[in-house]
Amino acid sequence: MAAVRGLSLTAVALRAVTLWPGGRLLAASRGPRALRELSSSSPEAGEGQIHLTDSCVQRLLEITEGSEFLRLEVEGGGCSGFQYKFSLDTVINPDDRVFEQGGARVVVDSDSLAFVKGAHVDFSQELIRSSFQVLNNPQAQQGCSCGSSFSVKL
């Protein structure tokens, strides 16, 4: 067992959790949670949008400080070909798209947006882990059982 700021985590949970500066926990895996009530990033949410769930907005408001936001990236790798990567960031690049809901911001670069447009970003809290996750990605053909990697529709 490992202790992180008063929290005990099992080895299973340690594989799914990344410790960020300030002792805040952020994970990049997905569980089988049902999709919660959805909030879109704008009133005219379309296919090129990222949708934020209420739980995602609430958790981001709890963990971000100042100009911090959640960055969602898609990288090559994982058992299905591509994987989601979540991180806290403060720098918005020229090719980034910003999706804001209720004061919470999720930023996606233009290359990654092609792989996740129309998807929902959720925050799931389970017994063994708490994590941000991508749900209902219309660009994904299939994914692995842990939900952190996927293959794209051709």
Side-chain angles (χ1 to χ4, degrees), residues 18-37:
T18 304
L19 180 64
W20 294 96
R24 292 172 285 158
L25 296 175
L26 188 66
S29 63
R30 179 172 87 174
R33 284 280 218 193
L35 186 61
R36 293 180 182 85
E37 182 179 338

Side-chain angles (χ1 to χ4, degrees), residues 24-99:
R24 292 172 285 158
L25 296 175
L26 188 66
S29 63
R30 179 172 87 174
R33 284 280 218 193
L35 186 61
R36 293 180 182 85
E37 182 179 338
L38 301 176
S39 302
S40 67
S41 58
S42 70
E44 65 280 342
E47 187 179 292
Q49 300 291 312
I50 298 296
H51 309 277
L52 310 180
T53 64
D54 290 339
S55 63
C56 175
V57 170
Q58 180 181 350
R59 184 61 178 153
L60 283 174
L61 293 175
E62 292 170 357
I63 67 171
T64 55
E65 299 171 355
S67 63
E68 284 183 317
F69 55 82
L70 182 69
R71 178 173 292 281
L72 168 58
E73 297 175 280
V74 174
E75 299 179 330
C79 54
S80 296
F82 294 95
Q83 60 190 3
Y84 303 113
K85 178 183 174 188
F86 292 96
S87 61
L88 291 179
D89 199 351
T90 57
V91 177
I92 297 177
N93 301 312
D95 71 330
D96 287 340
R97 289 274 311 269
V98 178
F99 302 94

Side-chain angles (χ1 to χ4, degrees), residues 30 84 115 136-143 149-153:
R30 179 172 87 174
Y84 303 113
F115 294 100
N136 295 344
N137 183 355
Q139 309 310 314
Q141 181 173 353
Q142 64 183 25
S149 70
F150 65 100
S151 62
V152 295
K153 293 179 181 176

